[in-house]
Amino acid sequence: MALERRVSVRDFLPDPVEDALVTRVLKAACRAPTSDNLQAYSFVVVRDAGTRRRLGELAGHQRHVVEAPVFIAVCADLHRVAKACERHGRTLAGETLEMGLVATIDASLAGMAASLTAESLGLGSVMIGGVRNAPLEVAALLGLPQQVFVAFGLCLGWPARRPPQKPRLPEAALIFQERYEPERIPAAVAEHDRALATHYKSLAKATSEASWTERIAERFSRSPRAHLRASLRALGFDFS
Ligand SMILES: Cc1cc2nc3c(=O)[nH]c(=O)nc-3n(C[C@H](O)[C@H](O)[C@H](O)COP(=O)(O)O)c2cc1C
């Protein structure tokens, strides 16, 4: 099963990925389920090296965005839904938390479907949330109309190297039967801290013994991307 073997790939061969293959991946991804059949997502395929270089910068200087031959911007998209309303003399009530979530969930499902399809065909991919560093600049670069934003990107290419899989939290912390059991969490999280530290040490990467929790505490005790709500509002989404 492709999902059992999947891993994010960040090292790509320079070999091209044919248009027909990218189209096949994205057409398959369009079979993903979609809320109310709204299909509130779209893909923008970027091959142009200059655009990829700029996207890599905006995403926080991510090398793999520049090196992968294909970058797919996975967009939450209410533009067509708004147009559908207009055809019938109505106005989309799109600036609501629910519609923002609907479009973001649709985009996520379609993006994951694309990533899995790509993997099943031997391609490698990594998702790029870094594009949300600069939603307005990214939207302008890709010519997005109002009511569309890039939820995340997907670097696509032939893998030069597939890294070993990263451990996941133990089953005890992720899967519950009938009722959630919060008392299981501390031991399971401590186990994951140790497993992730062992993983990083095996790759000669710097880590602490509390590998997972320490990074999370450091990174997420501050509000990430504080500008995001205002930027998304300017693009026609209201997450307040
Ligand atoms: C929505 C989303 C955004 C992500 N953004 C980035 C990113 O900007 N840069 C990056 O290198 N990896 C990114 N990743 C990949 C994660 O870091 C990766 O999935 C996670 O560390 C687990 O590793 P694995 O996918 O190899 O199992 C993102 C993943 C998701 C789901």
Side-chain angles (χ1 to χ4, degrees), residues 63-86:
R63 174 187 54 82
H64 32 282
V65 177
V66 181
E67 290 176 0
V70 180
F71 180 91
I72 297 164
V74 182
C75 305
D77 186 340
L78 293 174
H79 180 69
R80 292 179 305 256
V81 180
K83 291 286 168 209
C85 288
E86 278 172 25

Side-chain angles (χ1 to χ4, degrees), residues 6-10 59-60 62 64-65 108 112 125-133 151-153 155 163-168 199-200 215 219 225:
R6 81 149 288 285
V7 66
S8 292
V9 168
R10 296 182 179 80
Q62 298 205 43
H64 32 282
V65 177
S108 304
M112 182 64 203
S125 73
V126 59
M127 291 181 180
I128 304 294
V131 285
R132 294 193 308 277
N133 289 347
F152 56 90
C155 296
Q165 283 185 315
K166 252 182 222 174
R168 290 295 191 259
H199 170 78
Y200 284 133
R215 180 175 175 279
R219 217 170 124 89
R225 300 184 181 128

Side-chain angles (χ1 to χ4, degrees), residues 75-147:
C75 305
D77 186 340
L78 293 174
H79 180 69
R80 292 179 305 256
V81 180
K83 291 286 168 209
C85 288
E86 278 172 25
R87 278 177 90 106
H88 298 278
R90 299 191 181 232
T91 304
L92 173 69
E95 293 193 27
T96 62
L97 177 60
E98 171 64 7
M99 290 310 288
L101 287 176
V102 160
T104 308
I105 293 169
D106 263 19
S108 304
L109 295 175
M112 182 64 203
S115 153
L116 259 188
T117 307
E119 180 101 358
S120 74
L121 293 169
L123 289 159
S125 73
V126 59
M127 291 181 180
I128 304 294
V131 285
R132 294 193 308 277
N133 289 347
L136 300 177
E137 289 89 336
V138 168
L141 189 63
L142 301 181
L144 304 186
Q146 198 59 12
Q147 290 165 305

